Amino acid sequence: MVFLPDRRYHCLVADQIVATPEIRDYIRDVSLREDSILAELRTLTANLPGGVAMQVMAEEGQLLALLVGLSGATSVLEIGTFTGYSTLCMARALAPGGTVVTCDISPRWPAIAADFWRRAAVHDRIDLRIGDATQTLADLADERGTGSFDFAFIDADKTGYGAYYEAALALVRPGGLIVIDNTLYFGRVADPLNQDPETVAIRALNATLHNDARVDISLLTMADGITLVRKK
């Protein structure tokens, strides 16, 4: 007997599924593996000013850890630490002897992260750099040289994304992976009437990535948009 799929559902699976709250809850039930340390950090962050909007989704942290593990990365660059949830996820996934160099403009939020990093026993794998990210990235290029990182994650001020991408591309080795967060930016990138500086910057970066022959890309409709960039 040959199974013929119901045409009512055939037309649905050919397009993008809508991530309703019920679908998101189901995904968390069957996919998310968040331990008590990560859950506590996520809850604490959600209660900070702007915390819900600024922190990565738990599922995204898990994806980052999976990608770091798959790539066998020993050197990870993170631009934008905030309270260190993604830092913790990636540090746990590092190959033996690996390090996450994470950059933030202020010590205020990473100070919250430090206790969680210690409790998770990954604090010795994390190199926190405080200061303007553009200068920090230039210092890393002088200190370590180009092609010195296996993996990079960009999740910082959106108007700086173009500069951060170019710096990360130079610092990541050929075959390395760059993950860029918020590339759909609350859906505003699809609205041509929205011309706020952050949306314009993300829109410009997306156009740059689409036309950049130096890399392979895939924009995932997960969280607020996540673009995977593989350096050729």
Side-chain angles (χ1 to χ4, degrees):
M1 181 177 180
V2 178
F3 172 72
L4 296 176
D6 190 318
R7 292 184 63 83
R8 292 174 300 171
Y9 300 104
H10 179 73
C11 65
L12 290 176
V13 298
D15 206 347
Q16 182 71 39
I17 191 169
V18 176
T20 63
E22 292 78 15
I23 290 291
R24 287 194 293 269
D25 288 344
Y26 176 78
I27 291 169
R28 288 196 166 182
D29 287 343
V30 303
S31 175
L32 183 61
R33 297 175 176 177
E34 184 183 53
D35 68 8
S36 59
I37 294 176
L38 285 171
E40 183 182 341
L41 177 54
R42 181 162 58 88
T43 300
L44 185 155
T45 303
N47 290 317
L48 297 173
V52 172
M54 291 176 64
Q55 72 174 343
V56 301
M57 286 180 63
E59 292 85 353
E60 184 176 357
Q62 186 165 301
L63 174 64
L64 289 169
L66 179 64
L67 293 172
V68 169
L70 281 171
S71 65
T74 59
S75 52
V76 172
L77 171 64
E78 180 179 46
I79 305 169
T81 312
F82 193 38
T83 58
Y85 188 101
S86 53
T87 320
L88 173 50
C89 291
M90 294 188 291
R92 280 178 163 173
L94 283 169
T99 302
V100 177
V101 178
T102 185
C103 316
D104 208 278
I105 188 66
S106 165
R108 180 183 181 186
W109 304 124
I112 294 172
D115 177 57
F116 289 88
W117 295 342
R118 282 191 294 270
R119 287 166 54 191
V122 297
H123 58 286
D124 58 341
R125 306 177 197 175
I126 298 170
D127 178 1
L128 174 63
R129 307 287 182 104
I130 300 297
D132 178 78
T134 303
Q135 184 59 54
T136 300
L137 293 168
D139 292 343
L140 285 169
D142 291 338
E143 177 186 320
R144 301 176 60 137
T146 59
S148 53
F149 287 90
D150 302 309
F151 188 101
F153 177 51
I154 302 174
D155 183 18
D157 59 290
K158 309 314 169 195
T159 56
Y161 264 31
Y164 301 154
Y165 167 65
E166 289 297 336
L169 189 63
L171 285 165
V172 167
R173 63 169 173 80
L177 188 65
I178 302 172
V179 181
I180 308 174
D181 199 17
N182 305 114
T183 48
L184 292 178
Y185 204 56
F186 306 103
R188 296 173 189 168
V189 290
D191 178 6
L193 297 179
N194 198 315
Q195 295 294 318
D196 68 85
E198 292 78 15
T199 301
V200 169
I202 295 293
R203 202 180 280 134
L205 175 65
N206 289 339
T208 295
L209 292 171
H210 186 236
N211 296 303
D212 194 343
R214 300 172 295 177
V215 297
D216 298 314
I217 66 167
S218 179
L219 199 168
L220 308 180
T221 54
M222 174 184 182
D224 191 31
I226 304 168
T227 300
L228 308 184
V229 182
R230 178 182 175 274
K231 183 176 178 179
K232 292 183 180 179

